[in-house]
C-alpha cells in the first residue's frame, strides 16, 4: 500500500518527526513531498496517484476535486484535531474516510498560555526588546497573578488542564461555556457577559465553528475592564480583529497576547501583532516534540489499523466509508 505525506520538509521535521516517519515507512510505501511550498489540489492529485492513503498537513487543502481525481483514494488523515482543510462532506459523498488525531498538544498550549499571562503582567517581551535595541527599558510596576481573576471562555480539554493551575497559583477562575458542566468547586461558571466584565485576564479557548465566528467583537471588548488583558489560544475566526485592534489602539483594554489569528496557516494577523501592547507568536502552541510526536503517532496507529483491515481510531465519517477493502 502507498501513502502520501503532504508536509513540506520543514513541517515534516517539526510536526511529524523521524520516529513516526520511520514507523510509517515500515508499514506502507510512503511518498514524501520534498518541495518548499505546500501542495495545491492539482499537486495533491499528481503526487497521490496510486496511493490509498493521504496524511495531510494543515497547509494542504483537500477539496472535492481531490476525491474526484483520485478514485483509488480510501482514507485522508490529519495529524491534528482540526480537519477544516478537508472537505468532509465531499469525502463522504465520494466514500472516502476522514480521520483526525487526538489532542496531544494540550500540555504545550497550557504552558504557552501561562507564559503569556506572566509576560503580559510583567512586560518581559517589552523589556527584552528594549535591551536588544540598546535602549534602557522603562521601569513599570507589574502585576501579580495571585489574587487576580482569570476568565476562560470555553471549557474543553485545554481549559480543563489550565484552570486548576491558575487556581493553584491563587487566581480566581471564571468559566463561560453554555454547553459544558463545571463541577470543580474552585471555578465559577458565569454567562460570558458577566465573565468579560469581571476578569482581569480573558482567555479564549472556545471551539471554532459557525456558532463561534466573531464570538468576541466590539460589544464583548467594550464589556472588558480597561486594565484587563485578552489572550487568544483558540482560532482567529473567533475574534473580530478590527474591533480588537480598535480597543488596543485606543487603550480601552490593557493589551493582548495571541498564538493564532486570521493570517495564513492560522497565524496572528501582522496588523495586530505589530501593535505595541500585543504579544504574538506564530502559531507555535503545539510545536513541541512531545505534542507533535503524539499526534503523528496517532496517524501511525491509524495506518496500522488500516493495514490490518480494521477501522482506524479517529474516524469522523465512518458511516459513509464505501471505498474500503
Amino acid at each position: 500500500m502507498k501513502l502520501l505525506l503532504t508536509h513540506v520538509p520543514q513541517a515534516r521535521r517539526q510536526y511529524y518527526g523521524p520516529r513516526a516517519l520511520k514507523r510509517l515507512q515500515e508499514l506502507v510505501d510512503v511518498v514524501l513531498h520534498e518541495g518548499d511550498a505546500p501542495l495545491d489540489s492539482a499537486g495533491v492529485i499528481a503526487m497521490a496517484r496510486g496511493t490509498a492513503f493521504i496524511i495531510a498537513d494543515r497547509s494542504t487543502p483537500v477539496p472535492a476535486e481531490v476525491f474526484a481525481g483520485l478514485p483509488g483514494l480510501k482514507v485522508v488523515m490529519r495529524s491534528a484535531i482540526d480537519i477544516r482543510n478537508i472537505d468532509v462532506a465531499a469525502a463522504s459523498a465520494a466514500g472516502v474516510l476522514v480521520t483526525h488525531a487526538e489532542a496531544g498538544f494540550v500540555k504545550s498550549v497550557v504552558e504557552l498560555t501561562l507564559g503569556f499571562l506572566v509576560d503580559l503582567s510583567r512586560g518581559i517581551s517589552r523589556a527584552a526588546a528594549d535591551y536588544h535595541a540598546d535602549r534602557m527599558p522603562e521601569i513599570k510596576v507589574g502585576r501579580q497573578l495571585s489574587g487576580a481573576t482569570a476568565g476562560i471562555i470555553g471549557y474543553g480539554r485545554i481549559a480543563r488542564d489550565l484552570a486548576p493551575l491558575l487556581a493553584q497559583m491563587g487566581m480566581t477562575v471564571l468559566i463561560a461555556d453554555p454547553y459544558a458542566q463545571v463541577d470543580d468547586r474552585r471555578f465559577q461558571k458565569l454567562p460570558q457577559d458577566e465573565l468579560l466584565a469581571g476578569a482581569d485576564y480573558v482567555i479564549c479557548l472556545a471551539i471554532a465553528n459557525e456558532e463561534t465566528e466573531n464570538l468576541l467583537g466590539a460589544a464583548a471588548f467594550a464589556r472588558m475592564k480597561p486594565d484587563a488583558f485578552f489572550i487568544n489560544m483558540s482560532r482567529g475566526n473567533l475574534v473580530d480583529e478590527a474591533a480588537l485592534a480598535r480597543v488596543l489602539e485606543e487603550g480601552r483594554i490593557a493589551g493582548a497576547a495571541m498564538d493564532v489569528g486570521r493570517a495564513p496557516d492560522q497565524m496572528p494577523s501582522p496588523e495586530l501583532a505589530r501593535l505595541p501592547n500585543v504579544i504574538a507568536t506564530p502559531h507555535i502552541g503545539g510545536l513541541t516534540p512531545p505534542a507533535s510526536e503524539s499526534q503523528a503517532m496517532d496517524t501511525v496507529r491509524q495506518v496500522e489499523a488500516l493495514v490490518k483491515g480494521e477501522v482506524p481510531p479517529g474516524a469522523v465519517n465512518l458511516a459513509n466509508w464505501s471505498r474500503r477493502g
Side-chain angles (χ1 to χ4, degrees):
M1 289 185 175
K2 290 179 66 176
L3 177 148
L4 171 64
L5 186 67
T6 67
H7 302 56
V8 301
Q10 182 180 13
R12 197 161 64 234
R13 291 190 297 271
Q14 293 178 333
Y15 291 100
Y16 209 77
R19 192 170 80 93
L21 178 57
K22 181 176 184 295
R23 178 58 184 145
L24 200 62
Q25 290 170 325
E26 292 170 354
L27 294 166
V28 290
D29 181 8
V30 180
V31 178
L32 297 176
H33 172 39
E34 300 293 358
D36 293 329
L39 294 168
D40 58 12
S41 300
V44 171
I45 293 170
M47 290 202 69
R49 286 198 175 96
T51 66
F53 312 132
I54 293 174
I55 297 176
D57 69 295
R58 69 190 190 191
S59 299
T60 302
V62 189
E65 54 261 38
V66 169
F67 308 114
L70 295 170
L73 180 64
K74 301 181 189 318
V75 184
V76 177
M77 293 162 265
R78 278 280 286 121
S79 54
I81 286 182
D82 190 348
I83 56 173
R84 286 179 298 163
N85 59 317
I86 302 171
D87 187 334
V88 178
S92 296
V96 176
L97 183 68
V98 177
T99 73
H100 64 76
E102 291 303 312
F105 52 78
V106 169
K107 301 294 185 186
S108 294
V109 174
V110 166
E111 290 173 6
L112 182 58
T113 307
L114 293 174
F116 279 155
L117 284 165
V118 174
D119 199 342
L120 287 168
S121 302
R122 306 305 292 269
I124 297 169
S125 293
R126 174 185 53 79
D130 282 339
Y131 275 124
H132 293 162
D134 200 25
R135 297 189 300 266
M136 179 62 191
E138 181 184 357
I139 298 174
K140 292 186 175 182
V141 176
R143 296 192 193 180
Q144 180 175 289
L145 293 175
S146 178
T149 298
I152 302 175
I153 298 174
Y155 196 53
R157 293 182 182 94
I158 298 171
R160 290 169 193 265
D161 262 40
L162 175 64
L165 295 176
L166 300 183
Q168 191 172 357
M169 293 168 61
M171 300 187 79
T172 297
V173 179
L174 311 178
I175 306 288
D177 189 325
Y179 302 108
Q181 183 171 329
V182 180
D183 296 321
D184 195 317
R185 293 183 179 181
R186 293 173 295 177
F187 318 140
Q188 182 180 1
K189 184 177 179 181
L190 292 175
Q192 182 173 302
D193 287 354
E194 292 183 32
L195 179 148
L196 290 166
D200 300 305
Y201 303 85
V202 174
I203 305 168
C204 180
L205 288 170
I207 60 171
N209 56 30
E210 290 183 4
E211 184 180 353
T212 57
E213 183 77 22
N214 287 325
L215 177 67
L216 294 150
F221 294 124
R223 292 186 176 93
M224 289 178 60
K225 298 191 290 188
D227 60 348
F229 292 105
F230 174 70
I231 300 174
N232 189 9
M233 301 299 291
S234 179
R235 287 290 183 266
N237 59 300
L238 278 82
V239 176
D240 179 339
E241 293 193 338
L244 178 57
R246 282 194 296 273
V247 296
L248 288 167
E249 290 168 341
E250 295 170 8
R252 289 191 276 132
I253 64 172
M258 60 199 70
D259 186 49
V260 293
R262 293 181 181 265
D265 204 13
Q266 302 166 15
M267 290 192 182
S269 299
E271 296 78 12
L272 276 173
R274 70 168 61 102
L275 295 176
N277 51 353
V278 168
I279 302 164
T281 50
H283 198 184
I284 58 168
L287 189 53
T288 63
S292 297
E293 184 172 88
S294 172
Q295 295 191 299
M297 291 305 295
D298 274 346
T299 63
V300 171
R301 285 186 283 273
Q302 291 168 7
V303 173
E304 287 174 340
L306 290 164
V307 168
K308 294 176 184 175
E310 300 171 354
V311 174
V316 300
N317 61 339
L318 182 59
N320 302 105
W321 187 26
S322 58
R323 287 193 197 177
R324 55 196 296 181

